[in-house]
Amino acid sequence: MEFTLDKAGRTKAQLGEAVIALLAEMPQERVTAEAIAERAGMGRATWFRHFSSKSDAAAYALVARWMRWAEDEGLSAESNMTLPPFLYMVHSQRKTVSLLYARNMRQAVLDAAAKIAKIFVGGGRTGYREKFYLYGFVGILDEWVEREFAETPEEVAEMLGAIFVL
């Protein structure tokens, strides 16, 4: 599966990256629509055309990053990615993930993780079992981030394997 974004997707990813970059430089309260649009090299109206919140934009940027990472690693939804590569993907972005948590944007990370897990780990299925595993995984991911990635991706995968029959 090749990860490509259409023009709107590239615009949204660029806006999301601008949000993340600005959050690294200043408190969330100072990250305005004007500042985001300016950083992205776009007009203010473009921001409002695509997003209603900084959290949604940051989540979109994370999903785009993780999709590119998966493509670079040769992983695809068709190959039904196993848990360790998914955890490595999150771990590879731990600096950004930690930044978003520090800026009270936890939900952006959890939304992105749920979307990626649904695509790669759950194969896009949405039955009761898949949702149970998906939400359980997101909860454990949240704890992993809160613990500042104290465990390795392998250790988290082992814990998840002990909890869920994967």
Side-chain angles (χ1 to χ4, degrees):
M1 170 181 72
E2 185 176 321
F3 177 67
T4 55
L5 291 171
D6 60 10
K7 185 176 184 208
R10 286 189 303 274
T11 298
K12 290 168 75 170
Q14 197 171 347
L15 288 164
E17 290 295 341
V19 168
I20 292 169
L22 289 168
L23 287 170
E25 298 170 9
M26 62 184 70
Q28 181 180 358
E29 304 78 47
R30 292 188 43 218
V31 178
T32 63
E34 292 79 9
I36 296 165
E38 183 179 324
R39 174 62 65 97
M42 300 175 192
R44 185 174 179 266
T46 303
W47 164 258
F48 289 108
R49 187 175 316 119
H50 293 287
F51 293 110
S52 59
S53 75
K54 293 175 269 192
S55 182
D56 289 346
Y60 192 93
L62 278 180
V63 169
R65 283 183 184 190
W66 291 345
M67 292 293 287
R68 283 190 301 272
W69 184 93
E71 182 179 64
D72 290 347
E73 295 295 314
L75 302 168
S76 69
E78 293 80 29
S79 67
N80 205 10
M81 184 196 304
T82 60
L83 194 55
F86 183 89
L87 294 168
Y88 278 114
M89 184 169 51
V90 174
H91 193 259
S92 74
Q93 293 290 316
R94 65 190 173 280
K95 183 177 177 183
T96 299
V97 169
S98 296
L99 168 71
L100 292 171
Y101 267 60
R103 296 290 192 254
N104 297 317
M105 298 196 62
R106 162 188 266 145
Q107 197 59 50
V109 175
L110 300 179
D111 289 347
K115 184 170 197 144
I116 291 292
K118 187 175 177 184
I119 293 168
F120 285 101
V121 178
R125 295 182 303 271
T126 58
Y128 289 116
R129 181 182 171 112
E130 290 79 20
K131 285 187 178 182
F132 173 77
Y133 287 154
L134 176 66
Y135 290 116
F137 168 74
V138 169
I140 289 171
L141 176 70
D142 182 48
E143 181 63 22
W144 190 32
V145 177
E146 283 290 323
R147 294 168 55 89
E148 298 177 354
F149 297 94
E151 298 82 14
T152 66
E154 294 90 354
E155 290 169 328
V156 176
E158 189 176 311
M159 281 187 285
L160 284 164
I163 296 169
F164 303 119
V165 179
L166 300 174

